[in-house]
């Protein structure tokens, strides 16, 4: 069914993927707001944090409602965070990229799942300086299961990825005595499970380079002291997304260019 649709109506299929991404992005906003507070994702329904008025379904349509309401609660006029439409749009864009890269395959489902987790983790780490175990620990198992199901990465590569990425973070944590946390370790292990041990090294490399570059810019411009913690989760998540889409090619280029 999907195959036929993709063949005959690629534009409609991509539009459907975008709408699906917007809807999942809306759900990720709930995850981002509630998981750090340890609140249920399912109950109660969303309400304005200012006045407590329950948000009607027609005021809860991704992006559109934010525009119609001009970014304010209908009942009390309290501003709604820009985070809501941004997360929805980023998720729609990420799902579209995954669909263009993987097509209507189980790999697309695995990629969409990983990207959703990375988006939620990025925003939660930026706002709270923590990476919730309730996302990364099941994420390790989801990554192993996804590769068992799709065969994209062998189960051994996937399992070695968990141990290698987790182990590298463990060494950094032990050597640095802080600065890097257990949340980063579990996020690294999750990426290892999804990407396998070779491609997760690309993710870690991209994350370290981007994080290091920003740290140098902030230090040099005097906007950040040497002791100010910079959350590493968003960089690791960005590295994971880059590696998901281009990791295989980067590994092939690297081993082909410099390997035996
Ligand atoms: Zn309100």
């Amino acid at each position: 069914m999907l195959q036929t649709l993709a063949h005959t109506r690629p534009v409609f299929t991509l539009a459907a993927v975008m709408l699906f991404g917007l809807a999942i992005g809306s759900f990720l906003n709930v995850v981002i707001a509630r998981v750090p507070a340890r609140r249920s994702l399912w109950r109660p329904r969303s309400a304005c944090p200012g006045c407590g008025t329950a948000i009607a379904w027609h005021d809860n349509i991704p992006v559109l409602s934010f525009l119609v309401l001009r970014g304010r609660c209908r009942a009390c006029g309290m501003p709604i965070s820009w985070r809501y439409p941004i997360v929805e749009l980023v998720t729609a864009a990420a799902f579209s990229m995954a669909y263009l890269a993987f097509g209507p395959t189980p790999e697309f489902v695995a990629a969409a799942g990983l990207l959703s987790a990375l988006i939620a983790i990025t925003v939660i780490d930026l706002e709270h300086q923590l990476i919730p175990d309730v996302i990364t620990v099941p994420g390790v198992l989801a990554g192993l299961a996804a590769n068992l199901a799709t065969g994209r990465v062998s189960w051994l590569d996937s399992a070695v990825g968990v141990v290698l990425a987790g182990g590298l973070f463990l060494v950094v944590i032990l050597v640095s005595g802080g600065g890097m946390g257990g949340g980063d370790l579990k996020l690294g292990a999750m990426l290892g499970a999804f990407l396998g041990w070779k491609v997760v090294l690309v993710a870690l490399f991209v994350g370290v380079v981007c994080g290091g570059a920003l740290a140098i810019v902030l230090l040099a411009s005097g906007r950040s002291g040497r002791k100010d913690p910079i959350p590493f989760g968003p960089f690791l998540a960005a590295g994971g997304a880059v590696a998901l889409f281009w990791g295989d090619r980067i590994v092939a280029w690297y081993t082909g260019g410099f390997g035996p």
Side-chain angles (χ1 to χ4, degrees):
M1 174 71 180
L2 263 179
Q3 198 80 49
T4 330
L5 276 176
H7 188 66
T8 53
R9 297 273 189 275
V11 177
F12 287 141
T13 316
L14 191 59
V17 168
M18 279 179 179
L19 289 177
F20 179 56
L22 286 173
I24 296 295
S26 183
F27 172 71
L28 293 180
N29 275 316
V30 178
V31 170
I32 290 160
R34 295 188 180 189
V35 161
R38 299 181 185 278
R39 288 170 56 206
S40 162
L41 294 180
W42 317 110
R43 258 179 281 255
R45 56 176 299 138
S46 296
C48 167
C51 64
T53 306
I55 295 166
W57 68 267
H58 55 81
D59 285 343
N60 211 3
I61 297 166
V63 184
L64 216 58
S65 290
F66 185 87
L67 295 175
V68 169
L69 293 169
R70 292 169 192 261
R72 289 181 178 278
C73 168
R74 187 187 288 280
C76 70
M78 183 176 145
I80 304 166
S81 169
W82 275 96
R83 188 192 83 209
Y84 288 89
I86 289 172
V87 165
E88 287 154 0
L89 288 171
V90 168
T91 310
F95 277 33
S96 304
M97 277 184 70
Y99 188 80
L100 292 173
F102 301 108
T105 59
E107 282 88 341
F108 163 74
V109 178
L114 174 61
L115 291 165
S116 298
L118 294 179
I119 291 166
I121 285 167
T122 296
V123 182
I124 291 172
D125 199 14
L126 285 173
E127 291 189 351
H128 302 277
Q129 286 75 52
L130 68 89
I131 299 175
D133 289 352
V134 293
I135 299 176
T136 49
V137 174
V140 173
L141 300 176
L144 291 166
N147 281 321
L148 272 178
T150 63
R152 181 156 194 265
V153 176
S154 81
W155 69 268
L156 187 60
D157 276 8
S158 180
V160 172
V162 174
V163 176
L164 178 69
L168 284 171
F169 276 99
L170 190 60
V171 169
V172 171
I173 289 168
L174 292 177
V175 169
S176 70
M180 199 71 76
D184 297 306
L185 185 152
K186 281 166 252 178
L187 173 55
M190 180 182 98
L191 290 174
F194 271 96
L195 302 173
W197 73 268
K198 289 186 210 107
V199 175
V200 79
L201 291 176
V202 175
L204 300 184
F205 181 75
V206 172
V208 167
V209 168
C210 295
L214 183 77
I216 289 167
V217 168
L218 289 177
L219 280 173
S221 66
R223 290 184 56 190
S224 164
R226 202 168 277 276
K227 298 269 177 202
D228 292 337
I230 296 172
F232 186 50
F235 298 104
L236 199 47
V242 168
L244 172 70
F245 289 115
W246 299 288
D248 284 332
R249 260 169 280 175
I250 295 171
V251 168
W253 167 77
Y254 184 77
T255 52
F258 299 101

